Amino acid sequence: MRAALRLLLFSSLLLAMNHPLAFAQSHSGELSPALQQHLEAQLRSMADFPPETALTFKILGPSELSGFDRLSCHYASALDGTSGNISLLISQDRTHIAQAYDIAADPRTKVPSEGRPSRGGPPTAPVLLVSFDDLECPFCAQLHKELFPALTDHYKNQVRVVYQSLPNDGHPWSMHAAVDTDCLGKESPDAYWAAVDTIHSHAPEYGGTAGDLALAERELDTEVLDEGRRFHVAEEPLQACIEKQDTTPEKESVALASRLGVTRTPTIFVNGAKSEGIVPVDFIFNMVDTALRAEGQVPPPRPARKASTAIPLPQK
């Protein structure tokens, strides 16, 4: 996957901009070239932007926070096409910038799940767990094996589980597997999950000992078609979808991940709360319990469990 934008945005909220020209623009709707350069220097010092990225700034008017205007930073990379907007605040005396977070909105809504196959609870379940998954990722496979059976067994219909695809460019057949399983998911959510279970379980085997990509892709196609037959999915449209290999849904999922600051798999959102990497099952259970209490529900009693071992993610 191309380099994602990682922003270390303003944990202390306010950042001083001690530039002499900043003070000369109090309450102005325009930003001088000098102030724009100072803003750019500040953001570049705090963020890992994609290569050859241009930054432009625009005042959008007064904010709801007294003494601050809304400021938009648009970033666009000429090299890989990555672009987007960062919403900021700038003090009306132009000496500080900040970022405001909307905590009034339901955090569940920031991670879309509509149209994706789900398992566990219904769409009305009090807890929505969205996992960004790469079918060739060994860490994803371990989390999938350890967490999701335990999760659905313990919480039953209280938790709805949804996967978003996040194939990694460093995993040769991960995009092909994502497209194949999404083709199946259009026809049958149950068949989708069966294929995901199988692929995660046998990921090291695809392509044989030589890791032959063409062989791995043929094996994945066969696996998905077999699951389709097992769940009585119409074979002709499934075959046509697999042969087409339309990556549009996967690219949309990758773009969503970038907007959410997801840079690696597995990454899980529990009612909008984010967890990255392999963590003990009990850690995710604690997140689910917290989310259930926030929804006014009592979490089911948890039996004593043997502590699971977290596997650290490789350093970037």
Side-chain angles (χ1 to χ4, degrees):
M1 187 180 72
R2 71 187 174 204
L5 177 64
R6 291 191 299 113
L7 295 175
L8 308 177
L9 282 180
F10 320 131
S11 58
S12 60
L13 184 64
L14 295 181
L15 298 172
M17 300 190 301
N18 296 319
H19 192 291
L21 292 180
F23 294 91
Q25 300 194 99
S26 177
H27 300 282
S28 171
E30 298 297 325
L31 299 177
S32 72
L35 183 51
Q36 291 193 56
Q37 190 280 329
H38 196 55
L39 285 165
E40 180 169 342
Q42 183 72 66
L43 262 68
R44 287 191 187 279
S45 71
M46 302 183 66
D48 180 12
F49 286 100
E52 298 186 17
T53 299
L55 304 183
T56 55
F57 300 91
K58 184 177 181 180
I59 297 292
L60 302 179
S63 76
E64 296 179 355
L65 185 62
S66 177
F68 283 82
D69 289 330
R70 292 180 295 126
L71 173 69
S72 174
C73 171
H74 179 75
Y75 60 90
S77 171
L79 188 62
D80 65 8
T82 301
S83 65
N85 295 290
I86 305 166
S87 297
L88 303 169
L89 302 176
I90 185 167
S91 62
Q92 290 176 347
D93 65 3
R94 304 302 188 245
T95 62
H96 293 77
I97 53 175
Q99 187 170 41
Y101 298 91
D102 180 6
I103 61 172
D106 184 351
R108 287 166 54 110
T109 62
K110 79 176 186 179
V111 189
S113 62
E114 294 78 9
R116 296 294 301 167
S118 69
R119 73 192 327 174
T124 55
V127 175
L128 171 65
L129 189 151
V130 180
S131 178
F132 283 85
D133 185 70
D134 176 335
L135 287 165
E136 199 174 347
C137 162
F139 303 107
C140 299
Q142 179 173 335
L143 185 70
H144 182 89
K145 177 182 178 181
E146 290 188 0
L147 176 61
F148 293 106
L151 193 76
T152 53
D153 180 63
H154 182 68
Y155 291 101
K156 304 296 191 290
N157 287 335
Q158 290 181 301
V159 180
R160 179 181 180 226
V161 176
V162 171
Y163 273 12
Q164 291 281 4
S165 299
L166 189 56
N168 189 311
D169 285 344
H171 293 155
W173 55 257
S174 60
M175 177 64 81
H176 194 98
V179 172
D180 279 10
T181 52
D182 277 352
C183 286
L184 191 54
K186 293 176 189 175
E187 309 298 329
S188 167
D190 289 340
Y192 168 88
W193 287 110
V196 167
D197 290 343
T198 300
I199 293 170
H200 266 317
S201 296
H202 297 282
E205 302 167 19
Y206 296 112
T209 55
D212 184 277
L213 177 58
L215 174 59
E217 291 177 347
R218 291 197 299 271
E219 291 171 337
L220 289 163
D221 293 348
T222 299
E223 199 87 73
V224 169
L225 287 167
D226 285 347
E227 292 294 353
R229 295 184 193 103
R230 191 159 72 90
F231 285 86
H232 308 292
V233 169
E235 187 160 337
E236 187 173 337
L238 176 59
Q239 179 77 60
C241 184
I242 288 173
E243 290 177 357
K244 187 177 181 181
Q245 285 296 300
D246 180 7
T247 61
T248 301
E250 281 62 46
K251 289 178 179 176
E252 290 173 352
S253 185
V254 169
L256 171 64
S258 180
R259 293 195 300 272
L260 295 172
V262 177
T263 61
R264 61 185 64 185
T265 54
T267 292
I268 288 175
F269 289 86
V270 178
N271 276 11
K274 181 179 176 183
S275 172
E276 289 187 302
I278 295 289
V279 295
V281 171
D282 282 344
F283 180 84
I284 301 297
F285 275 27
N286 288 340
M287 294 180 70
V288 173
D289 287 352
T290 298
L292 283 171
R293 294 187 188 99
E295 295 295 318
Q297 299 202 15
V298 177
R302 202 181 308 173
R305 329 175 27 89
K306 182 191 249 178
S308 60
T309 302
I311 296 180
L313 285 171
Q315 296 298 311
K316 290 182 72 68

